[in-house]
Amino acid sequence: MKSRSGVRRGGSEWLLYAGAALYVLSFLVFYPRTFAIVDEDAYLTQTFLFRAGRLAYEGSGIPAPHMTVETAGHEVSKYPPGNALFLLPFTLLGWRAVFVSGLLLALTGAVLFSLILKRILPEADPAWSLLYLFYPAVVLFSRTIMSDLLAATLVLAAFYCVLRRRSWLVVSGFILGFACLVRYSNAVFVPVFLALLTRPVGVWGTNTDKRGRMDTGRAMLLFVGGFAPLAGLILAYNAYAYGAPFSFPMYLTGHFSPVYFFHNGWYYGTCLLVLYPLMLLTPLTAGKGLRLLLGLPAGALLILYCFFSYTYDVPNLPERLTIGIRYLLPALPFFILAFVATADRLTRQLRGAGWLKYTALATMALLSVAIQLRHDRYLRVQAKYQQLLQDNVPDSALLLCDKDVSELVSYAWGWREYRHISEFNVPVQLDSTLADDRPLYAALVEKPGQENMVEVTLFETLLARFPGRVSVVETRNPWRFRLYRLR
């Protein structure tokens, strides 16, 4: 196959199609039956809120989920509205149809990756794009309705439009604006893309012609013109939801400080060095014209999150390479593109090294199936306990529970009003709640290796206040789950 520049691409395009087909097949076989992250419930409930034509929960008839804030006189989600808006069309086919969105995002990302690869490295084998599709974090988050993969796909699409230049820059700005509506941190790419526009197209080694060249000022104006409407929408939403155009409940998310730089640099750096060997450094080895093109957007988001207070600290490396790296998903394609540029050059220069590429792709394909299988097993357990809770707690009851039990409740499949017995290991005052005369239930989940003795003690103390309690459900495998009717 030849690229538009006339340079013949490495010829395994069929492998890209085969890999995508395998991905689709495994996704459908292990189609997500539910979600297991409490933030997913917040996004989905926000989607139903928007479907009802409302921006705030008060007076909507939809119970406010996890991470709802009350500011400027409104009960609103702490999350920006972009992801919920994106999910809205999928909910028209039923709430479980929202998981199709993740499959489409993963495939769209792989297509964009291939198109970008074709422009910056016309001679590269398109099958390299499978390194993005099969990356563990991409695989896992394609099975969720979290905002991370949507943000990554939008940034990748905006970058592709930057490479196209001309009128595509308006589209690029608009898409990046929507990426910011999904995650405000994506605003870091605005100055990055503007900086890239100061460089002539030919510097990047992309396929172009004289018609693709334009004045830098005009290019920036087109980009900003596309970005402006979404920026205005973000400011308007913030003004309504949080009381001011630049207001946002950051206190519920975390904060930025230089004290986190070295810890986070080590945390994210090791993740980017391990799975694809030395990928963290490959923007420096990608070749002339690509160091800045790929290194600037990759490094900008990485540096930003090196100052952020929250990381998913677990000793388990596989979890760090999936859940732990989710904030970096929008930067991930640029690191992988740089890795591909380096790996493709090395496999061409080293005689007989082609087998390394196919071995790597086959290994990642098998790993992607394994991740989907393991996640399916986890969701099977999650769905089991969701059904147990729904079947045994009446709609009219109030449920006292820990955080893990509250994650089994959702407006999507059956709401049960609940109160946490503790917040961040601090007991919640429940005296006024206990004085009510409505049916009262209490539940606790203890997952192996994740037992919280503070919550266990609070739960046992609560049970002791109701000597006439009745045990409704108790299981010990795979989780210890206890549900009591207190009155």
Side-chain angles (χ1 to χ4, degrees):
M1 173 184 175
K2 289 187 177 180
S3 69
R4 294 190 318 175
S5 65
V7 179
R8 188 171 184 84
R9 302 187 80 192
S12 296
E13 193 165 13
W14 67 270
L15 190 58
L16 175 59
Y17 298 139
L22 173 65
Y23 190 88
V24 172
L25 178 62
S26 57
F27 188 96
L28 295 178
V29 169
F30 303 119
Y31 189 84
R33 64 192 69 230
T34 187
F35 48 76
I37 305 174
V38 69
D39 294 353
E40 293 180 87
D41 177 58
Y43 286 123
L44 185 55
T45 307
Q46 189 182 28
T47 299
F48 285 116
L49 180 69
F50 293 161
R51 264 185 59 178
R54 307 295 290 267
L55 293 177
Y57 286 103
E58 72 273 4
S60 68
I62 298 175
H66 167 75
M67 288 299 185
T68 298
V69 297
E70 187 171 358
T71 56
H74 299 296
E75 280 187 296
V76 295
S77 174
K78 81 149 196 175
Y79 299 107
N83 190 42
L85 289 171
F86 170 74
L87 294 173
L88 197 155
F90 298 95
T91 63
L92 300 178
L93 300 175
W95 74 266
R96 286 195 68 203
V98 295
F99 296 111
V100 175
S101 67
L103 174 62
L104 295 179
L105 286 174
L107 294 175
T108 301
V111 170
L112 289 167
F113 191 100
S114 177
L115 292 173
I116 292 169
L117 188 63
K118 185 177 181 178
R119 296 190 72 85
I120 65 176
L121 289 171
E123 72 283 359
D125 188 340
W128 284 117
S129 303
L130 293 174
L131 289 184
Y132 174 77
L133 182 62
F134 293 150
Y135 197 87
V138 173
V139 174
L140 178 64
F141 283 97
S142 72
R143 298 175 53 79
T144 75
I145 52 173
M146 297 289 283
S147 64
D148 307 274
L149 188 57
L150 174 59
T153 308
L154 291 170
V155 169
L156 198 57
F159 179 73
Y160 173 68
C161 293
V162 164
L163 295 182
R164 296 292 302 266
R165 297 290 176 106
R166 292 184 285 176
S167 58
W168 286 88
L169 292 176
V170 177
V171 181
S172 176
F174 187 86
I175 293 174
L176 187 58
F178 191 73
C180 293
L181 191 65
V182 171
R183 293 189 72 91
Y184 290 165
S185 59
N186 286 328
V188 73
F189 292 105
V190 175
V192 168
F193 286 7
L194 287 173
L196 295 181
L197 290 176
T198 64
R199 305 285 286 170
V201 178
V203 171
W204 311 128
T206 60
N207 298 321
T208 187
D209 52 37
K210 291 182 179 179
R211 293 175 300 169
R213 301 173 187 171
M214 64 169 57
D215 176 75
T216 298
R218 184 187 172 204
M220 289 184 170
L221 188 61
L222 288 173
F223 178 83
V224 173
F227 181 80
L230 272 299
L233 182 60
I234 290 170
L235 298 178
Y237 179 81
N238 286 351
Y240 170 83
Y242 311 123
F246 293 98
S247 181
F248 177 71
M250 191 69 187
Y251 63 92
L252 290 175
T253 301
H255 59 278
F256 291 89
S257 171
V259 300
Y260 304 113
F261 183 82
F262 291 106
H263 170 271
N264 292 5
W266 173 258
Y267 180 94
Y268 291 124
T270 52
C271 291
L272 294 171
L273 287 169
V274 172
L275 185 63
Y276 294 166
L278 303 180
M279 186 173 71
L280 175 66
L281 306 177
T282 52
L284 302 176
T285 62
K288 183 180 179 181
L290 297 180
R291 296 185 184 94
L292 188 63
L293 180 68
L294 302 177
L296 192 58
L301 193 69
L302 172 61
I303 291 173
L304 175 69
Y305 277 108
C306 280
F307 292 100
F308 191 53
S309 59
Y310 179 78
T311 55
Y312 189 75
D313 278 323
V314 289
N316 188 332
L317 184 60
E319 290 189 28
R320 287 176 57 185
L321 290 172
T322 49
I323 302 175
I325 206 171
R326 71 183 184 92
Y327 288 143
L328 297 189
L329 267 177
L332 195 63
F334 302 101
F335 281 112
I336 299 178
L337 280 165
F339 179 83
V340 167
T342 303
D344 187 72
R345 185 174 65 251
L346 290 177
T347 53
R348 291 175 184 277
Q349 291 175 349
L350 300 176
R351 179 176 297 181
W355 66 272
L356 290 172
K357 173 176 61 178
Y358 299 113
T359 300
L361 294 177
T363 300
M364 296 309 299
L366 293 174
L367 180 59
S368 74
V369 175
I371 290 171
Q372 296 198 59
L373 173 60
R374 180 171 179 179
H375 190 238
D376 176 70
R377 289 176 175 173
Y378 184 83
L379 293 183
R380 189 185 300 271
V381 174
Q382 187 82 7
K384 167 188 171 181
Y385 287 105
Q386 287 171 355
Q387 194 64 48
L388 270 177
L389 193 71
Q390 187 175 0
D391 290 345
N392 291 282
V393 178
D395 295 351
S396 59
L398 176 64
L399 177 66
L400 306 179
C401 60
D402 66 324
K403 179 180 69 67
D404 288 334
V405 170
S406 68
E407 292 180 3
L408 305 175
V409 175
S410 175
Y411 174 76
W413 59 72
W415 179 255
R416 300 294 186 272
E417 188 176 352
Y418 66 84
R419 300 284 187 277
H420 284 159
I421 59 177
S422 72
E423 296 287 356
F424 303 106
N425 286 337
V426 177
V428 173
Q429 293 298 322
L430 298 172
D431 290 342
S432 60
T433 300
L434 299 180
D436 197 354
D437 60 356
R438 65 191 296 186
L440 190 64
Y441 284 70
L444 183 76
V445 162
E446 297 173 72
K447 299 178 181 179
Q450 301 179 32
E451 296 85 353
N452 185 323
M453 295 312 299
V454 172
E455 290 187 332
V456 171
T457 301
L458 290 174
F459 185 73
E460 298 291 354
T461 302
L462 174 65
L463 296 182
R465 299 177 65 172
F466 294 87
R469 65 187 179 273
V470 176
S471 176
V472 179
V473 176
E474 181 163 359
T475 68
R476 292 184 175 273
N477 187 34
W479 302 342
R480 187 182 185 193
F481 175 75
R482 290 183 284 169
L483 173 65
Y484 289 86
R485 184 174 69 247
L486 301 183
R487 65 164 182 252

